[in-house]
Amino acid sequence: MTATIFILLAALAVLGAVLAVLLPNAVHAAMALIVMLVATAGIYLLLSAPFVAVIQIAVYAGAIMVLFLFVIMLMNVELRIPLRRWTLVAGTVAGGLFLYQTVHLLRGVMDDQARSGADGFGSAHEVSSVLFAEYVVPFELVSVLLLVAIVAAVVLGKREAA
Amino acid sequence: MQQHRTGPAWGQEEKLIPLSHTILLSAVLFAVGTVGFLVRRSAVMMLVCVEIMLNAANIAFIAFARHHLSMAGHIWVFVVITVAAGEAAIGLALIVALARERGTIQVDELRSLKG
Amino acid sequence: MFRVWAIPLIPLLGFVYIGLLSRRLSRRAAAIVGCSTVALSFLVSLEGALQLLRGEEALTATFYTWASLGDTLVRLDYRLDALSGSMALIVSGVGFLIHLYSVGYMHGDRGFNRYFAFLNLFIFFMLTLVLSDNLLLTFVGWEGVGLCSYLLIGFWYEKSDPPPAAVKAFVVNRIGDFGFLTAMVLLLAQVGTLSISELLQSAPGAFEAWPVGALAVGLLLFLAATGKSAQVPLYVWLPDAMAGPTPVSALIHAATMVTAGVYLMARFRPILELQPQVLEVICAVGAVTALLAALIALAQRDIKRVLAYSTVSQLGYMFMGVAAGGGVAGMFHLTTHAFFKALLFLGAGSVIHAMGGEQDITKMGGLRSKTPITFWTCLVGALALAGLFPTAGFYSKDLILADVLHFGEWGRILFAMGVLTAGLTAFYTARWLMLIFFGEYRSPHHHPHESPAVMTVPLVLLAIFSFGAGWGEHAYAHFVGRVLEPPEGHVPGQVIAWASGAGIVGLLAGFLRYRSLVPGPGPAKGLARVSERKFWVDEIYDALIVRPYQFLSKVIASWVDGGLIDTALVNGSGALVRAAGRIVRPLQNGQIQVYTLAMMVGLVAALGWMLWS
């Protein structure tokens, strides 16, 4: 049962990603990306990471993608930019080679021995107790980073006062 | 299975997903994102492809976290999501500024930084 | 909880405050902050010293860990024990009086606030040097006082004399610093720590198998001390340092900084003792310096230069005292000297102030009635310098001579040199006094006037100490004797007779000779000329070291630097990079996706190499 669900979700994620890469219309591509993100959230659930799954949907599929769609739709730029053949070929060859090598590399070292989880692994409680105890400093650094990003985005997006 | 659990994790009910499956998925998504980054000519779509790659990395993080039963992976996923949000915000702001200044967001036309 | 690091830190805060607000701060505020921080430091030191008296062995505090290099921790450790505590009391106590005096002396100077900022900075570095329990931190203080000395000698940088004098002081001190650094590296390599208390404990064991190393460390430390404390052969900077303001000469170049070398020797006595030759060298160099400087002081005309050579000479005495016997004698002379030499310098400053900047003692005279307080305090200081009973100088000088007499094979010769120096000291002191305060007033212009109370009060206080500090001899020896070896028994009567006899004879001779005689203008004749020209030491150094060095510098500048480094290496590598850039520049075509593709090719290649190599 779990395996079936996993394979379905994985197929959906890959399909979404491929569509996001190939669809010429930017709005369509962004929609395909949302499919991929939601499917990934499902996979997180299967991997005992319910809290991350919720964050994935709220932040990624929600906030970030809305930002993308806003920019795509509000900006007065051409939506369709056709692909070029030689870049398509070169990119696919490079990506394919890379994938082949990665799989080849991982095959030898992968340990498939599954372990049963502890109670509450990946829950909000567990995440917060680790995040605010062991990882306080990275957490604070990341929040500073976010602040900097906000300021930068405002400065960049502002029209120069003539 | 006879074990008692309070957690909502579905994956533990029957059998666990093998690590190799999730890593394979991660690798595939990463490769797809890379190809997209190489072939798309619109800056917005290149950003979308970067998001795909980041997601692929996140899946690997979560898979290994589950495998080793360590919460560190979850923490780093948060960090990655935060960085992704920042990157999207700045990237899109740059694209807006580009479109305003140059009238295009086609990266092969933005080539003034050449040697 | 007593925090030792508060002692140096308070003046540092004063420096930061005055330094940062320099332009906006009123002179009054700068003076108040400058003086009160040092006074506060003194009170804290006093509290620390009282705790020591109540039985504590030492008060220590770690400010923070500066660096950890492997197992070697460099911690900013401060340690107040009997030795460093007594030094800290002198530095902050005499320092406070000189700060107070400076308020009057520097009144009306354009750089008033800058002056007090530097003075506070100096006190900070000096206290750090004294109280540090880590050799590297000591070195920081050591260099810091050197820096402040440089800044304050060159304080009146718009005049012609001070800047070269400041540079000279700095450069000559560099030679000594070379010794300090090398000794530090040797100690670190051999003992494996920089903490002074650990060093003193484990150095004897560590150097057991390598006596030459102990000899080298001792001599290198002494080299450092000869630079900072103006001993032969590195004493030449101190007389020139008189170009700075007079209170600076009193504080830095008489009472505190120049005694840092003596303190260093006292602190590291357990290491110096490992090789008795080191102590002999120190004692001999001290004796030679004492005699030579006293001879030079005989014919100097500048009111401050006489005192400067006298300081060099007395520092020689201190080195003799710190090397011979247990070391307490040298430290005690350091203390009394800090009082009476600071007093004499401040008195000289008061005279210069009264004379409106005149410094030539042959043009003074008869100031006894015009500046009575200055005269009486200077008289006390001069008698102490001459070592007359019952002033402080009498006790400390006799203590040193008693130790020297029984020191090694050459004890009697060194003792004779010491007695001769004592006589000469008394003679030039009398000459100095007579030419300034007695006889006719010889300067046609200017009406001399007594200095304000803010200057005379420190004079009076210092005079009291210069007079009475000697009576604390046994208490001091007992206190510092916890760290150093206390002297045994009493000073033999024979020593007292010789030393006092020499002093009285010298004084009488000086009084009689200069009662009516005033050296005329123009160069002196005969032996006096040798003394006046300072044995031509500066000229000899100039010919032997400075000129060859300058010649070598010119050769290196034009051939090595201009030819090899500039043309071949710098411009050559620049041209090479440029040419290479011209070749590879087209690769940078501005297409971001081409760059990414290149990255992917590299990644695939690297992975392939990992997989199939």
Side-chain angles (χ1 to χ4, degrees):
Chain A
M1 178 62 184
T2 317
T4 324
I5 296 174
F6 174 77
I7 287 170
L8 277 176
L9 284 173
L12 202 57
V14 174
L15 182 70
V18 171
L19 282 179
V21 167
L22 291 180
L23 284 177
N25 187 319
V27 178
H28 297 172
M31 290 309 198
L33 185 65
I34 294 180
V35 169
M36 188 214 100
L37 292 172
V38 173
T40 312
I43 288 167
Y44 290 164
L45 274 183
L46 289 182
L47 291 170
S48 341
F51 188 64
V52 177
V54 172
I55 297 292
Q56 167 89 358
I57 292 189
V59 176
Y60 239 131
I64 298 180
M65 284 322 293
V66 167
L67 194 60
F68 268 96
L69 285 172
F70 259 127
V71 171
I72 293 170
M73 302 210 295
L74 288 182
M75 266 185 18
N76 194 13
V77 292
E78 50 206 317
L79 291 174
R80 293 165 168 278
I81 302 173
L83 303 180
R84 286 215 182 108
R85 184 165 299 137
W86 80 267
T87 53
L88 190 59
V89 171
T92 317
V93 168
L97 266 175
F98 171 70
L99 180 61
Y100 171 71
Q101 285 178 328
T102 318
V103 171
H104 200 83
L105 193 67
L106 290 174
R107 211 168 47 193
V109 293
M110 200 56 72
D111 160 30
D112 264 354
Q113 203 67 33
R115 286 166 225 195
S116 52
D119 279 351
F121 181 79
S123 66
H125 179 265
E126 190 83 355
V127 169
S128 57
S129 66
V130 176
L131 185 60
F132 295 114
E134 259 179 83
Y135 290 90
V136 174
V137 177
F139 176 75
E140 294 294 339
L141 286 178
V142 159
S143 49
V144 172
L145 178 74
L146 213 47
L147 177 69
V148 173
I150 291 168
V151 174
V154 169
V155 170
L156 286 171
K158 204 181 66 170
R159 274 176 200 279
E160 285 292 319
Chain B
M1 293 265 120
Q2 303 302 311
Q3 281 167 286
H4 295 282
R5 283 183 204 89
T6 53
W10 302 351
Q12 291 160 354
E13 282 170 18
E14 284 181 29
K15 66 169 191 175
L16 292 159
I17 303 155
L19 181 60
S20 56
H21 287 38
T22 38
I23 299 306
L24 179 66
L25 173 63
S26 165
V28 169
L29 285 180
F30 192 86
V32 170
T34 316
V35 172
F37 189 81
L38 286 174
V39 303
R40 297 299 299 231
R41 291 160 70 201
S42 147
V44 178
M45 289 319 294
M46 285 170 71
L47 272 188
V48 164
C49 294
V50 170
E51 301 294 341
I52 296 176
M53 289 195 269
L54 288 173
N55 244 280
N58 278 353
I59 291 175
F61 266 129
I62 294 292
F64 279 115
R66 177 68 189 82
H67 186 70
H68 296 295
L69 287 179
S70 151
M71 291 301 293
H74 292 213
I75 306 299
W76 292 112
V77 168
F78 284 123
V79 174
V80 170
I81 290 178
T82 321
V83 171
E87 170 250 318
I90 295 183
L92 290 171
L94 279 172
I95 288 167
V96 170
L98 262 182
R100 205 182 281 149
E101 288 284 315
R102 301 289 180 86
T104 178
I105 55 167
Q106 221 170 304
V107 287
D108 45 2
E109 284 174 18
L110 300 166
R111 52 197 300 177
S112 51
L113 268 180
K114 66 180 176 192
Chain C
M1 177 62 197
F2 185 82
R3 300 195 188 282
V4 183
W5 44 259
I7 300 174
L9 207 64
I10 298 169
L12 180 66
L13 292 178
F15 160 70
V16 170
Y17 184 74
I18 303 174
L20 284 183
L21 298 178
S22 174
R23 303 213 167 236
R24 305 206 189 144
L25 214 58
S26 71
R27 289 164 178 232
R28 195 187 172 79
I32 290 173
V33 171
C35 295
S36 60
T37 48
V38 181
L40 213 57
S41 257
F42 176 71
L43 292 178
V44 179
S45 313
L46 201 61
E47 162 65 19
L50 289 177
Q51 288 200 18
L52 291 185
L53 284 180
R54 271 185 238 124
E56 299 261 0
E57 198 220 334
L59 303 165
T60 57
T62 300
F63 192 51
Y64 85 121
T65 301
W66 188 8
S68 51
L69 315 161
D71 293 337
T72 310
L73 286 180
V74 180
R75 286 192 314 228
L76 300 192
D77 277 341
Y78 286 99
R79 177 186 164 94
L80 188 125
D81 59 14
L83 187 60
S84 61
S86 61
M87 274 301 277
L89 281 176
I90 296 169
V91 171
S92 53
V94 175
F96 168 67
L97 290 179
I98 292 173
H99 268 71
L100 205 61
Y101 177 92
S102 300
V103 176
Y105 190 82
M106 299 302 285
H107 176 80
D109 194 282
R110 270 198 306 141
F112 190 84
N113 291 2
R114 181 165 58 97
Y115 174 84
F116 273 93
F118 287 165
L119 224 51
N120 268 12
L121 185 67
F122 169 77
I123 298 279
F124 159 70
F125 276 127
M126 190 67 207
L127 288 170
T128 298
L129 158 60
V130 165
L131 292 170
S132 146
D133 193 29
N134 187 296
L135 203 49
L136 199 57
L137 183 60
T138 309
F139 189 63
V140 170
W142 186 269
E143 290 297 304
V145 292
L147 167 74
C148 293
S149 163
Y150 166 82
L151 290 173
L152 285 163
I153 295 171
F155 183 73
W156 288 314
Y157 51 81
E158 66 274 23
K159 292 190 192 169
S160 63
D161 279 353
V167 171
K168 186 174 178 183
F170 211 76
V171 170
V172 173
N173 266 298
R174 281 276 82 66
I175 302 172
D177 297 339
F178 159 76
F180 199 119
L181 268 176
T182 319
M184 190 153 69
V185 172
L186 273 178
L187 283 171
L188 182 61
Q190 191 68 15
V191 190
T193 177
L194 284 174
S195 158
I196 293 176
S197 34
E198 286 172 26
L199 271 179
L200 296 182
Q201 261 178 3
S202 40
F207 279 107
E208 208 161 20
W210 192 34
V212 182
L215 187 68
V217 167
L219 290 179
L220 287 167
L221 281 176
F222 180 56
L223 177 64
T226 55
K228 193 65 76 192
S229 294
Q231 295 296 293
V232 168
L234 300 179
Y235 71 93
V236 288
W237 65 271
L238 185 59
D240 286 14
M242 296 302 126
T246 308
V248 168
S249 310
L251 177 63
I252 301 183
H253 305 122
T256 55
M257 184 189 85
V258 290
T259 62
V262 182
Y263 171 73
L264 193 75
M265 295 297 101
R267 184 94 274 179
F268 282 94
R269 263 211 56 134
I271 291 179
L272 305 181
E273 279 166 1
L274 296 179
Q275 291 291 316
Q277 298 101 302
V278 175
L279 293 180
E280 282 167 21
V281 168
I282 295 175
C283 200
V285 169
V288 169
T289 309
L291 192 57
L292 180 71
L295 283 171
I296 297 178
L298 289 178
Q300 296 303 310
R301 286 156 180 265
D302 186 298
I303 184 170
K304 286 171 69 183
R305 274 182 180 263
V306 176
L307 296 178
Y309 280 107
S310 157
T311 305
V312 174
S313 166
Q314 296 299 310
L315 286 166
Y317 251 103
M318 290 176 214
F319 277 103
M320 288 162 80
V322 101
V328 171
M331 287 306 292
F332 187 54
H333 193 57
L334 189 161
T335 310
T336 56
H337 176 261
F339 293 132
F340 64 71
K341 191 51 69 65
L343 167 63
L344 285 174
F345 266 113
L346 295 186
S350 178
V351 169
I352 296 170
H353 192 71
M355 298 292 297
E358 179 60 64
Q359 298 203 5
D360 189 341
I361 50 176
T362 61
K363 294 182 183 154
M364 296 177 182
L367 288 178
R368 183 179 36 158
S369 52
K370 289 171 174 143
T371 57
I373 303 177
T374 307
F375 166 66
W376 284 108
T377 51
C378 276
L379 183 64
V380 173
L383 293 181
L385 175 59
L388 213 66
F389 183 81
T391 57
F394 168 79
Y395 293 93
S396 53
K397 205 171 273 187
D398 286 359
L399 217 51
I400 289 177
L401 289 174
D403 277 345
V404 170
L405 184 58
H406 303 293
F407 178 70
E409 300 166 38
W410 304 88
R412 288 185 173 275
I413 296 175
L414 296 174
F415 176 78
M417 289 168 85
V419 170
L420 185 57
T421 306
L424 293 172
T425 306
F427 183 79
Y428 69 69
T429 309
R431 170 179 178 266
W432 187 81
L433 268 183
M434 294 301 285
L435 289 180
I436 296 172
F437 292 106
F438 291 87
E440 297 288 310
Y441 181 63
R442 292 184 291 273
S443 180
H445 34 262
H446 213 84
H447 297 282
H449 55 89
E450 182 61 285
S451 305
V454 74
M455 288 166 70
T456 51
V457 167
L459 282 179
V460 172
L461 286 174
L462 282 171
I464 293 171
F465 279 113
S466 303
F467 192 75
W471 306 332
E473 179 189 342
H474 292 292
Y476 184 88
H478 185 70
F479 184 57
V480 176
R482 300 177 184 191
V483 180
L484 299 169
E485 199 182 313
E488 301 150 11
H490 287 278
V491 178
Q494 167 198 12
V495 171
I496 298 178
W498 275 106
S500 297
I504 291 166
V505 168
L507 273 178
L508 279 178
F511 275 123
L512 292 176
R513 180 165 165 79
Y514 291 99
R515 193 173 47 179
S516 53
L517 175 87
V518 174
K525 291 181 192 68
L527 282 178
R529 180 158 167 74
V530 179
S531 168
E532 192 184 64
R533 300 301 303 150
K534 304 167 266 183
F535 291 81
W536 289 280
V537 169
D538 275 331
E539 286 78 0
I540 293 169
Y541 282 3
D542 193 58
L544 285 185
I545 298 166
V546 178
R547 279 167 200 277
Y549 179 76
Q550 283 174 338
F551 176 72
L552 194 66
S553 304
K554 269 183 205 144
V555 171
I556 290 177
S558 59
W559 288 92
V560 180
D561 193 56
L564 185 66
I565 295 180
D566 277 3
T567 314
L569 292 180
V570 177
N571 293 344
S573 58
L576 193 71
V577 170
R578 249 201 241 210
R582 211 170 293 133
I583 293 169
V584 297
R585 195 159 60 189
L587 282 179
Q588 190 103 16
N589 64 358
Q591 291 267 27
I592 190 168
Q593 280 165 326
V594 174
Y595 303 162
T596 324
L597 192 62
M599 268 172 68
M600 284 304 292
V601 169
L603 188 61
V604 166
L607 279 174
W609 186 74
M610 279 171 70
L611 278 172
W612 293 296
S613 71

